[in-house]
Structures are given as structure tokens and as C-alpha cells.
Amino acid sequence: MSRLTADNEARARRIMALYPRPKSALIPLLHLAQSQDGHLTDEAVRHVAELVGITPAEAAGTATFYEMFKFHPVGRYLVNVCTNISCALLGADDLVAHASAALGVKPGGTTDDGMFTLETVECMAACTEAPCLAVNYRYRLRVTPNDFDDLVAAIRSGDIDQEIPHHGTLARVHQEIPEGRMAGISSPEQARAAPAWMAAGAEGAG
Amino acid sequence: MAADGYVDHAPGYVANEGPKIVTGRFGYEDSHRLARFEATGGYEGLLRALALAPGAVHQQVRDAILLGRGGAGFPAGVKWGFLPPGRYPYYLVVNGDESEPGTYKDRLLMERDPHQLIEGCLIACYALGLSQCFLYVRGEMALAQERIAAALNEAYEAGYAGRRICGTDFSVDVVLTWGAGAYIVGEETALIESLEGNRGMPRLKPPYFPAAVGLYGQPTIVNNVETLSNLGWIMANGADAYRRHGSESSPGTRMFAVSGHVRRPGVYEVEHGVTTFRELLYGDNFARGILHDRELKAFIPGGGSAPWFFPEHLDLPLEAKPVGAAGSMLGSGAVVVMDETTDAVDAALRLVRFFARESCGKCTPCREGTTWLERILQRIADGRGRPSDIDLLLDVSDNISPGPYPAASDEARGLAAVAFPPRQTTICPLGPSAVAPVVSTIRRFRSEYEARITRRDAIPVKAAS
């Protein structure tokens, strides 16, 4: 479909400037591409590869390793239900069965209206709040079947659009270093000297 | 502690009695903001550090015997000492890729007190002469990413990060970066690969420590979020004060997540070394006993990778050495509690499936072995098990981790404890981790396996048509 928009390309360049080597920005840039289109299009992957200076195959090679990257359209809301041990002990399987029946799709499937994709996932680090799920990586804890139905209704009504953005959008607060505050990023080859406060060798950083 | 504005805003966290070194601010609604951090002693540790020579700061951390909180429990001060002198630049990579089954603490630390973590990063960079810090947060943790981004923006604005920090000649950039879903990236060399824009596969060892060869081939320190979150307190209060908490070989506190079949599951800050599992599972100050007054069947003391413990091991202290000698590990501070109704085969399957899903595929014994283990367990769980399957499970396990596998003692069956860690035929510990639930359950609950394998009435019989 699409390459990165001009705005996103500008942001991509700002992200790359934070790393000593541009390829280190690859995963953040793939997230940026996914936030633009909801999934990773071939065109966007190619564009990202171009920006960081690698081949499209290398970029795809990295992208396919990580399960958050989707190569086909998924629902606007990605519902991830944890089925690992702590959640399983407290009813995760029942929650998956309920979610599956309520949405009318099996895990892995997307509703016909393109609203929801249901996935079972591994531990999300909310083990004391089992069973848990996340919608577009926004957590819901100690979820009952009723909670699930309420959540789906709230999403369908648009009531919680503010809280849960469309799939692809991850963090909405970004690191922005104020003008003149940056210590300065250099490549490993350019940074062979001891840092100033080490070279001084004095008591304290003065 | 109950100051103005103190309410519970950290789901899962339980503010029990006891010293609070890393969770002290969790109850404040604005615990993640710079104003609250500064009002509660924040960045004092950094200022104390900046008044000392870098080497003196390193010595404080050495003296504190701050054990790594990511899983291996290696002393941070010693790990720092592995940097080869003069081979600049050095880097700091923060491991915020928490995803070990049962583990829930680093996400809380990142969401609730990001400045505390940033302060720890800065202290480490100052002490060791690190040129840049990369704060790698698990991809799925959107809120943690937002909170850290906001905190970094505040810290830069206020002069705590970036150029000429607090007016000194200490300058370092702290950069937020994030993953995209892969448990293996928690392994430190895989984390570095990911940060270089590659598939997150662990690197061949030796060299064993990224301190020798790490990011871009340069000396690199990789520390866990909780480890670094202790540094501000240590610098503000001193190593001696730190060692007054906990035990001699494991000072300070640790965060433990108690999940599963307990009355009050939660994340607790626990005094290292002196508390026992019995107190943690049954104590009024902690999880308050088994749900529905049932009997305890088994518990996992340190995350999905840890061999299991049973009721007779409840009086072990929460301390690395005795737990290791008893056949398991404290790992990532994740205690998963299973009551008498838990099906051992299903629980083992659940954990093995995780490792099979998350195996990166680099080493054959792990890639093939975890998949075999999952399939065999699945067919046993489905009632299609074969009599030879128990031996087959143990045989596949032995290919991943040869020799006696770490396990708890079992007096009733005349089995002695096998001390941690396991041996491995793989580059990283993921494969051997998959063996833990298999060996633990077969040793203890072999009869459950046999019943599942021989009880044919569980199989629905269809008439031939």
C-alpha cells in the first residue's frame, strides 16, 4: 500500500538520530509504519529499509521474528487473552471460550466487520491480576465474562476511543529531547576517547 | 507512609509492612511525575554520586552486594567490574523485557516510578563511564513506554539527563527504545541483537558477558529494571544502610509476584533472604493462604523456568543460595501457587507450550526438543498418550539438558535434591527451562501421567460408520 507519509518520515529521521547506528532504529520504525497502516505493508517495510540503509529482505527478516508485527490486516482492535500458567489457573480457558463465542471467531480470527481480532498470548506481566487481557496493548485485569461483554460494547459504541487507540498505535507520548539538551550521539568509531568525567579523574564531577 | 494523596494506583501491588526501597512511591497517584519524585528524595542519590569519584560510586554498589534481579542473581557490582579498561565507548542496555511466566514487577517499576529507574541508569553511567544508555522496554507495554518517555522528557528539561547533567561535566543520553514481542529478547545477548535491528537470537558464547563484547561489539552492561531501580536508594543512603536489610549474602529487598491459587495474590516488596515461602504464601502480611481453604499441591518459586517446590519446601528462605541447593531458583521473583485441584499434566503442558512458542530456533536441541515435549504432553493431555511417553519425555529432556536435572527433594519417594543450575546443550537457558516443568511433574506426579495414559475411558469412542 503506502510508504511512510512525510510527517512519519520526518519522525523516523528524528528517531534514527537517537542511535549510534541507524539500523538500531529498525524496530521502532517498523512500529511507526504499523501505526500508519494498522499492519506492515510491503511498501512501508521497503521504505523503512531504505531509511536505515539495509535491504528489504533484511528488514523483513527482522520484522518476521517479532509477533507484534502483522503482515496482513487485523481487526481495528486486537484482543490478546493471556493463557499462560497464572491466568490458566484462574479461568483463562473459560475467558477465551467466552470471547470466542461472543465475537463469533476462533482465536486467530477476525470478525467480519473488521473490528476485532482475537488472539491467545503468553504471559503479559499481570500475573497477580488473572485472568487478564489486553486490547491494542491496553490492559484489562481480573476479567469476567461480563466484563468482557461490557468492554466489547464500550468499544463498539466508541466510548473508550480515547483510551484504546486503533491497532498499530502504541505509545502516544514520545521522547522529545529539548534543543541543546542532548549530550550527543556518535558512532562507536567516533567515541574512542574516555568520557569527560572519567578523563578528569578528579574527586567528583565538578 | 500514609502521606497526603496516598492511594492505591498500582493494580496488583500490595503495600504490606516492611522496608520499602523500590516501591515507596507506588501509592501516590502522581508517582511517575518529576515533582513527586523530587518531593520524595528523588535524584538525591544521583547528586550524592556526582559528588564522588566514579570509582567510589562503583565501590558503593559493590559493597551493597546488589544482586541482579533479572533471574540469574549475579552481583551487579561484580558484573560491572568485567568492563575491559579503556576500550571506549561503553554502553548501558536496560533490560525491560519482562515476560517470564508469573513475573510481574518491572512493568510496575516502569509505570509507577520511571524516574527512579532513570536515576539508576544515570548512576550506572556515571560510575562506569558509559557513553549512552538504551532503555529497552517490552513492546507490549504501551503504558510503560508512555510513562518513561514522559519522565525522560521531564528529566532532560530539568537538567538531569543529557548534556552537562546538574551542571557537571557528566553528560549522557538516555534513549527509550522498545521491542515487538519476543520472550527470548530477555536474554542479554539476544536483547543486544534486537537493539542492533536484528532477529532476537542469543549470541554464541564465549564471550559469556556483554561486558567484554556487547552492543556494536563494544563493552556493554546489561542490567535489569529492578536492579537499576535500587541504585538511587543505595547512593542516597549508603551501602551499609542497604546491607542492614535482608540477609548477609542477599541484602536489600526484592519484589515478588505471588499469583495463582492464593487469597491475596499481589506484588510484594519482601525483605531479601529473611522471609520464608511459608510466610509469603500464608502470612497475613502477604498472600494469606490458599484460595477456598484448599491444600497446596505445588508452587513454582522463581518463574516458569524454575523447577517446582512442594509443601515440604515451604520453610526455605527467599534467598538464592538455599533455594539453589534445594534444586530450584528465585529467578525473577515470580511465585506461582497451585492448589490440590490443579492438573499436573495440564500445568506442565501450559509452561512447555510457552517455551516451544518462544524458542528462537537457533539451537537444534531446543527448537526440536521443546516442540517434541509440547506434542507429547498434548497427546497425553488429550488421552492419546502411549505407555512409552513418560520415558520419551525424559529422553528428549536429557537431549536439551543432559544428566540429572535440578529438582527438589522428595523424601516419600526417596529422591534427593539436585542442585541448580541445569546443564545445557544450547546457547541460552531457554531450552533447559522447558525441562523444568516436565521433570518436576514426572518426579512428583508420575501416577497422574500414568493415569492419563492408561485411562482409556476418557477417549470418546465413535462407532465405525
Side-chain angles (χ1 to χ4, degrees), chain A residues 124-125 139, chain B residues 96 98 107 110 137-145:
Chain A
M124 320 197 299
Y139 285 68
Chain B
E98 175 173 68
R107 183 165 71 81
M110 294 188 283
V137 179
R138 181 173 169 186
E140 289 91 334
M141 296 178 179
L143 180 61
Q145 291 161 34

Side-chain angles (χ1 to χ4, degrees), chain B residues 56-295:
Chain B
V57 177
H58 186 174
Q59 192 56 46
Q60 282 280 317
V61 176
R62 243 192 222 115
D63 292 346
I65 319 179
L66 171 62
L67 303 183
R69 305 291 202 256
F74 199 79
V78 176
K79 191 178 193 178
W80 289 6
F82 294 153
L83 287 171
R87 264 191 36 219
Y88 295 108
Y90 304 152
Y91 295 108
L92 174 63
V93 177
V94 182
N95 189 343
D97 194 69
E98 175 173 68
S99 35
E100 173 78 15
T103 310
Y104 175 28
K105 63 186 182 70
D106 294 340
R107 183 165 71 81
L108 272 174
L109 286 167
M110 294 188 283
E111 290 178 359
R112 294 308 309 171
D113 206 342
H115 281 288
Q116 176 175 257
L117 170 61
I118 293 165
E119 181 180 26
C121 297
L122 293 166
I123 291 169
C125 289
Y126 176 71
L128 303 170
L130 311 180
S131 294
Q132 196 179 343
C133 169
F134 299 93
L135 228 161
Y136 188 108
V137 179
R138 181 173 169 186
E140 289 91 334
M141 296 178 179
L143 180 61
Q145 291 161 34
E146 292 182 346
R147 289 275 169 86
I148 289 175
L152 281 171
N153 292 347
E154 286 182 321
Y156 266 93
E157 195 72 52
Y160 289 118
R163 201 169 66 84
R164 297 191 59 83
I165 291 168
C166 301
T168 69
D169 56 8
F170 171 47
S171 299
V172 72
D173 285 313
V174 181
V175 170
L176 168 65
T177 189
W178 58 102
Y183 163 75
I184 188 58
V185 164
E187 199 271 352
E188 54 187 13
T189 62
L191 183 60
I192 288 168
E193 284 292 317
S194 182
L195 185 48
E196 291 186 1
N198 299 324
R199 294 167 80 85
M201 292 168 138
R203 291 177 176 173
L204 194 62
K205 286 131 187 111
Y208 290 98
F209 290 97
V213 181
L215 185 65
Y216 314 127
Q218 291 299 123
T220 301
I221 296 295
V222 183
N223 278 151
N224 166 265
V225 165
E226 187 187 348
T227 312
L228 290 162
S229 295
N230 275 277
L231 291 179
W233 197 98
I234 290 173
M235 290 316 298
N237 299 279
D240 291 343
Y242 191 75
R243 280 209 314 272
R244 278 198 284 278
H245 297 296
S247 70
E248 207 175 323
S249 64
S250 305
T253 60
R254 270 198 78 156
M255 291 173 74
F256 277 90
V258 187
S259 65
H261 295 139
V262 285
R263 284 208 187 86
R264 191 169 68 157
V267 183
Y268 300 90
E269 184 163 356
V270 179
E271 220 173 332
H272 218 159
V274 293
T275 315
T276 64
F277 285 106
R278 189 182 299 282
E279 286 169 67
L280 188 63
L281 266 58
Y282 291 91
D284 204 42
N285 200 22
F286 300 106
R288 296 183 176 169
I290 309 302
L291 205 56
H292 308 307
D293 284 322
R294 292 201 178 114
E295 292 297 315

Side-chain angles (χ1 to χ4, degrees), chain A residues 158-196:
Chain A
D159 285 351
I160 49 175
D161 273 3
Q162 281 301 313
E163 195 208 330
I164 305 181
H166 292 179
H167 178 254
T169 303
L170 211 49
R172 287 165 299 178
V173 181
H174 303 286
Q175 181 176 13
E176 306 282 355
I177 299 178
E179 191 72 25
R181 287 292 314 133
M182 199 151 168
I185 312 289
S186 46
S187 76
E189 294 74 20
Q190 292 166 324
R192 297 288 188 216

Side-chain angles (χ1 to χ4, degrees), chain A residues 43-64:
Chain A
E43 271 300 292
V45 172
R46 216 170 281 141
H47 191 186
V48 166
E50 221 172 83
L51 287 169
V52 302
I54 58 176
T55 66
E58 282 178 286
T62 293
T64 51

